[in-house]
Amino acid sequence: MPYVNTKEILDKANKEYFAVPAFNINNIEFFHAIVDGAMEESAPLIIETSEGAIKYAGNGDPFRGAEFFVNLVRGYAETVPIPIALHLDHGKNYQFIIAAIKAGYSSVMIDASEHPFEQNVQETKEIVKIAHAAGVSVEAELGRLKGVEDNVSVDERDAILVNPDEAGKFVELTEVDFLAPAIGTSHGAFKFKGEAKLDFGRLKRVKELTGIPLVLHGASSVPEELVELANNYGARITGAKGVPPEVLQEAVRYGVNKVNTDTDLRIAFLAGLRKSLHDKPEEFDPRKYFKLAKEHVTRVVRERLKLLGASGKA
Ligand code: PGH
Ligand code: CA
Ligand code: ZN
């Protein structure tokens, strides 16, 4: 199947009320493990790379890194039976966003969410103009990715989370294709101190006022059994907490169509790698000691595709 525009995948998800996980990669091992999982589930696939990943793959050079990922993902897509898109995650620097568009990414995120509303509108608008002219779709973000505790004041909450009325205006002004509204999640393995609490009231309003595909960042579930496995083999990850699977499904019911997933894959890979290094100290072929790590990643990928309703949607 072809290398596709992310918009094609997400417009279908929006119409049919499911979500597609977007998986972050830095290297070829994660890529292969993710594609295997998506093929086994006959699911559409969104691969995403951060600016850091592009820098890593280009050995410091963003243009080289962006070319590397496009060649990898586009070349591969043409040989497999599922549609695959490549997305720039959290584009903050003009240089990286332009590098991604030039190299042939399917979509880019312009993350100007730490700036005041007007500036976010201006910067997003500018990228939308450039990207759309090249046939590349655009994601933007409103609000800050930060856990919100129960004892936080209403004012503080308003300062951190998305303002739905602004979201409606933002989409109208920028003509952005997808929007990531901050509703209480955060990146990494330590998202919540107590219960996972997302502001579904805001999410529902944002969907009503925009109608476009919505993106949930910081959406990893941080499965306990994987953290435990990693810790049993020498890792030291304590107090980790993610977004439980049933909470993600609720988010999908309120209109989330793209679910960004990085941390879960990292923990899965780490757990598998630590176990195989421990179990086979005589092994020094990376293709062999990465095998179990990749299998763990594939399993997480399959679980999330099923959970979010993307299985069978290729
Ligand atoms: C993410 C990933 N990438 O943009 O939002 O979030 O750390 O929860 O996997 P996690
Ligand atoms: Ca942000
Ligand atoms: Zn993110």
Coordinates of all heavy atoms in Angstrom, one line a residue, residues 48 89-90 109 141 145 187 217-218 260, ligand 3:
E48 N 5.9 8.5 14.0 CA 6.3 9.9 14.2 C 7.7 10.0 14.8 O 8.1 9.1 15.5 CB 5.2 10.7 15.1 CG 5.0 10.1 16.5 CD 3.9 10.9 17.2 OE1 3.1 11.6 16.6 OE2 3.8 10.7 18.4
D89 N 6.7 15.1 15.1 CA 6.1 15.3 16.4 C 6.8 16.5 17.1 O 8.0 16.7 17.1 CB 6.4 14.0 17.3 CG 5.6 14.0 18.5 OD1 4.5 14.6 18.6 OD2 6.0 13.3 19.5
H90 N 6.0 17.4 17.7 CA 6.4 18.6 18.4 C 7.5 19.4 17.7 O 8.6 19.7 18.2 CB 7.0 18.2 19.8 CG 5.9 17.6 20.7 ND1 5.0 18.4 21.3 CD2 5.7 16.4 21.1 CE1 4.2 17.7 22.0 NE2 4.6 16.4 21.9
M109 N 3.9 18.6 13.0 CA 3.3 19.3 14.1 C 4.0 20.6 14.3 O 5.3 20.6 14.4 CB 3.3 18.5 15.4 CG 2.8 19.3 16.6 SD 2.9 18.3 18.1 CE 1.9 19.3 19.2
E141 N -1.1 22.6 18.7 CA -1.4 22.3 20.1 C -1.9 23.5 20.9 O -1.4 24.6 20.6 CB -0.2 21.7 20.9 CG -0.5 21.3 22.3 CD 0.7 20.6 22.9 OE1 1.1 19.5 22.4 OE2 1.3 21.1 23.9
L145 N 1.0 20.6 28.4 CA 0.9 19.2 28.8 C 1.5 19.1 30.2 O 2.7 19.2 30.4 CB 1.8 18.4 27.8 CG 1.2 18.2 26.4 CD1 2.1 17.4 25.6 CD2 -0.2 17.5 26.5
H187 N 3.8 14.1 29.3 CA 4.7 13.1 28.7 C 5.4 12.3 29.7 O 5.6 12.7 30.9 CB 5.8 13.8 27.8 CG 5.3 14.4 26.6 ND1 5.5 15.8 26.3 CD2 4.5 13.9 25.6 CE1 4.9 16.0 25.1 NE2 4.3 14.9 24.7
H217 N -1.8 13.7 23.4 CA -0.4 13.5 23.7 C -0.3 13.0 25.1 O -1.2 13.0 25.9 CB 0.3 14.9 23.6 CG 0.6 15.3 22.3 ND1 1.9 15.3 21.7 CD2 -0.2 15.8 21.3 CE1 1.8 15.7 20.5 NE2 0.6 16.0 20.2
G218 N 0.9 12.5 25.4 CA 1.2 11.9 26.7 C 0.2 10.8 27.1 O -0.3 10.8 28.2
N260 N -0.8 9.6 20.8 CA 0.6 9.5 20.7 C 1.2 8.6 21.8 O 0.9 8.7 23.0 CB 1.2 10.9 20.9 CG 1.1 11.8 19.7 OD1 0.3 11.4 18.8 ND2 1.8 12.9 19.6
Ligands
ZN3 ZN 3.6 14.8 22.7

